[in-house]
Amino acid sequence: MDEHTPHTRVSVTHPETAGVAVQLYLASTSPARLMLLRQSGIEPVIVPSDVDEDAAVAVASKRGALSPEDTVLLLAKAKAEAVAAVNPEFDGLILGGDSVFVVDDVIYGKPHTPEIALERWRNQRGATGRLHSGHWLIEQRPGAEPRGVGAVAHADVTFASDITDGELEAYIATGEPLFVAGAFTIDSLGAAFIDTISGDPSTVVGLSLPTLRRLVRELGHDWTSLWNRDGAL
């Protein structure tokens, strides 16, 4: 297995950090990820990563075919490492994330255009797909070597079978589905078109909060040490 294999984890414990306030840096501009963190009492510092996702996947694919799990963890790691590399002064945890949606063994990323979004929705109407969400968390401390841990979370989503073409066209016309994996959301306009979710719902929104909590713990910190919003303390 190479360095991007989702089963490879680095586990570190720093007992002296337990309970101490820790700053989270989010290597993403995703409104959904930011919303989830804020609802959990965390106000992250947003630091967009400058990662060419297609190029990163193309390079890694030369070493062998990538599974959906490989892909999301590769990109989550690349985003976190890119932010860490250009911000060596950061003191805290840097989070990178990525998601893909798979229906009938076909990987669906962000559709970007209305035509592709409509085609995908017609294919997934009445079907069940799996959302793969990759997380990579780097602990960066002054004078210490950065350490990273990663994990992939999954959730199955079943779409309503009675969605009309008119409903699909109206939904896509809002622009909401164009820039999210799988061309749907569960926390906004797309929620009414989903019948069931099996797994952690936050995974489908943008990142798995239980998974992130476990990664924070692997790096030796209490989840509650990230709470820094009014009402969470």
Side-chain angles (χ1 to χ4, degrees), residues 113-129:
T113 70
E115 293 76 18
I116 294 176
L118 183 58
E119 179 184 4
R120 290 184 182 178
W121 262 101
R122 284 173 172 165
N123 290 335
Q124 65 195 30
R125 179 169 43 189
T128 297

Side-chain angles (χ1 to χ4, degrees), residues 47-162:
V47 191
S49 63
D50 186 17
V51 172
D52 186 330
E53 298 184 22
D54 292 338
V57 170
V59 170
S61 297
K62 292 179 181 179
R63 299 193 295 270
L66 296 177
S67 68
E69 292 90 343
D70 293 329
T71 300
V72 294
L73 197 64
L74 165 75
L75 293 176
K77 183 179 181 182
K79 293 172 185 178
E81 289 183 336
V83 168
V86 298
N87 298 281
E89 76 284 1
F90 282 178
D91 184 356
L93 302 176
I94 302 171
L95 173 64
D98 194 74
S99 300
V100 298
F101 190 62
V102 179
V103 179
D104 295 330
D105 297 322
V106 177
I107 296 177
Y108 289 160
K110 302 169 185 175
H112 295 294
T113 70
E115 293 76 18
I116 294 176
L118 183 58
E119 179 184 4
R120 290 184 182 178
W121 262 101
R122 284 173 172 165
N123 290 335
Q124 65 195 30
R125 179 169 43 189
T128 297
R130 171 161 286 192
L131 196 291
H132 303 265
S133 183
H135 311 71
W136 195 266
L137 192 66
I138 294 176
E139 180 190 52
Q140 188 156 287
R141 309 171 75 198
E145 188 71 19
R147 304 174 187 271
V149 292
V152 178
H154 314 276
D156 294 329
V157 179
T158 300
F159 298 97
S161 60
D162 61 350

